[in-house]
């Protein structure tokens, strides 16, 4: 993983804001680089090119893992009937096939990379849902809830192995380079999940630690998605590194928005419970920034969260109790700071592209995808 996380320089913690309301999701930046790209079509292109190859790869799995994986991807329901589930935003496949065009290659060149990244991403989701105790994903019961923890672990492991197969069976030098970068990103992703779990058991986590964790957990794989098609298309190391930097900072923007949605998101849009991250005691950016801010709201929040960590009745808290914690986070400035951070990381990502020559059309599509990340609602 060659994207340099040092672009996430330390920032001054927020000052108390007096509780003014800010948007759940930050508005798109007002940069003069705004494009008229149809992002829906761009996402659909990635999904359309990737899904048949992804299905064929999953069909290689031995029963019942093939069926369990198909349920996870939303292709069948819990009874095994065909379904049209919510397959997610498809940002990673869109980036992977787009990155191939940086080299002048056809979008299809990036498809094996898109499939491999999707397999790794879903390996992590299967394991994360089990470790976090999440019972819902994309408006459906999670795999461990339906098929049991053992199947969630086995299918996750199988998807990770399959990702490497999909790339290596291409048999090219470029495939070997792509596999090496993807495995480095996967290791960083696992490091990030380990950090995330450990932080749940600590009273305090610094903003810098939280950004490092989120860079590993989310930034690393988006960095890989943003470069893997280009690598398969023969891009040199400099080009691949620059595209990884774009993806890494886009991942931090993506995760900052996720952190906002994890507290203030509409359950009908996110498919998760209200106050979902608070229910899991996650040390997400709004929480960490609020605790670092100082001031009465920050101090009160720290006292409450410390007491929460010692209670055995946390799962039975009322909606009002979680709402009160969310209000303190906002009053201390954690919500606004996180929205600002999403916009800042977005800017770093877009500016990184200046270091590589590419067709204006391709650059506009990278910019449009970055804009989408900071204004999405789920």
């Amino acid at each position: 993983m060659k994207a340099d996380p040092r672009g996430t320089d330390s920032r001054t913690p927020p000052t108390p804001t007096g509780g003014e309301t800010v948007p759940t999701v930050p508005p798109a930046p007002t940069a003069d680089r705004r494009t008229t790209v149809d992002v829906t079509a761009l996402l659909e292109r990635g999904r359309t090119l990737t899904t048949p190859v992804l299905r064929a790869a999953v069909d290689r799995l031995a029963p019942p893992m093939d069926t369990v994986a198909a349920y996870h991807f939303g292709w069948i329901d819990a009874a095994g009937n065909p379904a049209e589930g919510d397959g997610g935003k498809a940002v990673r496949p869109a980036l992977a096939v787009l990155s191939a065009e940086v080299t002048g290659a056809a979008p299809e060149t990036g498809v094996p990379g898109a499939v491999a990244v999707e397999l790794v991403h879903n390996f992590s989701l299967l394991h994360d849902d089990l470790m976090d105790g999440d019972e819902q994903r994309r408006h459906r019961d999670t795999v461990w809830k339906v098929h049991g923890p053992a199947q969630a672990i086995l299918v996750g492991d199988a998807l990770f192995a399959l990702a490497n197969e999909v790339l290596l069976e291409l048999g090219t030098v470029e495939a070997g380079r792509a596999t090496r970068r993807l495995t480095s990103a996967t290791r960083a992703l696992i490091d990030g999940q380990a950090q995330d779990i450990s932080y749940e058991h600590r009273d305090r986590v610094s903003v810098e630690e939280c950004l490092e964790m989120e860079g590993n957990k989310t930034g690393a794989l988006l960095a890989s998605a943003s470069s893997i098609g280009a690598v398969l298309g023969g891009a040199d190391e400099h080009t691949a590194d620059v595209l990884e930097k774009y993806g890494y900072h886009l991942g931090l923007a993506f995760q900052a928005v996720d952190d906002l949605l994890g507290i203030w998101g509409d359950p009908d849009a996110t498919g998760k419970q209200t106050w979902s991250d608070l229910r899991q005691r996650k040390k997400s950016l709004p929480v960490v920034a609020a605790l670092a801010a100082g001031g009465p709201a920050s101090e009160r929040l720290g006292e409450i969260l410390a007491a929460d960590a010692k209670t055995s009745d946390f799962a039975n808290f009322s909606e009002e109790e979680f709402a009160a914690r969310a209000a303190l986070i906002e009053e201390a400035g954690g919500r606004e700071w996180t929205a600002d951070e999403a916009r800042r990381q977005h800017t770093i990502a877009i500016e990184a592209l200046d270091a590589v020559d590419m067709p204006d059309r391709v650059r506009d599509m990278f910019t449009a995808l970055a804009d989408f990340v900071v204004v999405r609602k789920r």
Side-chain angles (χ1 to χ4, degrees):
M1 180 64 197
K2 296 193 177 182
D4 187 353
R6 288 175 293 180
T8 59
D9 49 278
S10 302
R11 297 183 59 212
T12 304
T15 54
T17 64
E20 68 265 24
T21 300
V22 296
T24 300
V25 181
T30 56
D32 58 5
R33 308 169 81 151
R34 186 70 60 80
T35 73
T36 57
V37 172
D38 184 345
V39 176
T40 300
L42 188 56
L43 294 170
E44 188 56 35
R45 181 183 75 162
R47 194 193 311 275
T48 299
L49 288 173
T50 302
T51 299
V53 183
L54 180 62
R55 281 179 175 262
V58 169
D59 283 345
R60 302 184 198 178
L61 300 180
M65 291 188 295
D66 55 348
T67 301
V68 175
Y71 171 78
H72 170 73
F73 282 105
W75 303 332
I76 60 174
D77 62 20
N81 301 312
E84 293 295 332
D86 177 4
K89 295 168 282 294
V91 171
R92 292 169 186 84
L95 286 167
V97 299
L98 174 60
S99 73
E101 295 188 85
V102 173
T103 67
E108 289 79 5
T109 301
V111 168
V115 170
V117 168
E118 277 298 277
L119 289 168
V120 168
H121 174 55
N122 284 279
F123 137 71
S124 73
L125 296 183
L126 284 161
H127 286 189
D128 289 2
D129 285 344
L130 176 58
M131 286 184 275
D132 295 343
D134 283 342
E135 298 184 359
Q136 289 279 306
R137 178 172 292 282
R138 299 169 186 161
H139 308 280
R140 305 197 314 163
D141 286 345
T142 49
V143 164
W144 74 266
K145 185 75 173 173
V146 175
H147 295 283
Q151 285 298 326
I153 295 169
L154 285 171
V155 173
D157 290 346
L159 295 185
F160 174 58
L162 199 55
N164 292 294
E165 284 183 24
V166 166
L167 287 175
L168 290 173
E169 68 188 7
L170 295 174
T172 64
V173 171
E174 290 77 17
R177 292 172 57 213
T179 304
R180 184 172 63 252
R181 285 178 177 265
L182 181 61
T183 53
S184 294
T186 305
R187 181 167 53 81
L189 182 157
I190 294 168
D191 288 347
Q193 175 66 0
Q195 290 168 316
D196 195 15
I197 291 172
S198 70
Y199 292 170
E200 291 175 21
H201 304 287
R202 287 172 47 181
D203 288 341
R204 295 291 177 117
V205 174
S206 71
V207 170
E208 292 77 15
E209 286 177 312
C210 190
L211 286 171
E212 179 187 7
M213 177 269 290
E214 295 191 345
N216 284 332
K217 190 169 179 180
T218 304
L221 197 58
L222 266 175
S224 184
S226 299
S227 65
I228 197 166
V231 172
L232 291 174
D236 59 25
E237 294 299 298
H238 168 73
T239 299
D241 288 347
V242 168
L243 292 174
E244 283 197 356
K245 181 176 181 181
Y246 161 88
Y248 181 86
H249 291 284
L250 182 62
L252 284 169
F254 188 102
Q255 189 59 52
V257 174
D258 254 13
D259 288 351
L260 292 168
L261 293 172
I263 299 176
W264 294 282
D266 179 357
D268 290 338
T270 64
K272 295 185 177 182
Q273 287 180 289
T274 55
W275 326 116
S276 61
D277 282 0
L278 296 183
R279 294 178 190 276
Q280 294 174 12
R281 311 186 201 202
K282 283 190 174 293
K283 298 297 189 299
S284 63
L285 271 179
V287 175
V288 170
L291 290 172
S298 178
E299 292 175 7
R300 177 61 181 149
L301 176 67
E303 293 168 358
I304 290 174
L305 295 183
D308 289 350
K310 298 175 183 176
T311 183
S312 59
D313 198 38
F314 189 78
N316 297 319
F317 280 12
S318 68
E319 292 291 298
E320 290 74 18
E321 288 173 296
F322 287 116
R325 286 154 179 75
L328 282 171
I329 293 167
E330 184 165 357
E331 183 179 348
R335 184 175 183 176
E336 185 174 17
W337 188 92
T338 303
D340 287 344
E341 182 66 5
R343 289 188 288 266
R344 189 179 81 92
Q345 295 294 342
H346 168 277
T347 298
I348 296 172
I350 295 300
E351 290 179 349
L353 297 174
D354 292 341
V356 168
D357 288 331
M358 67 181 76
D360 288 343
R361 176 184 62 87
V362 175
R363 189 183 303 276
D364 286 347
M365 288 192 282
F366 274 117
T367 301
L369 284 170
D371 286 350
F372 168 76
V373 161
V374 299
V375 298
R376 65 195 168 86
K377 297 182 179 179
R378 64 182 179 92

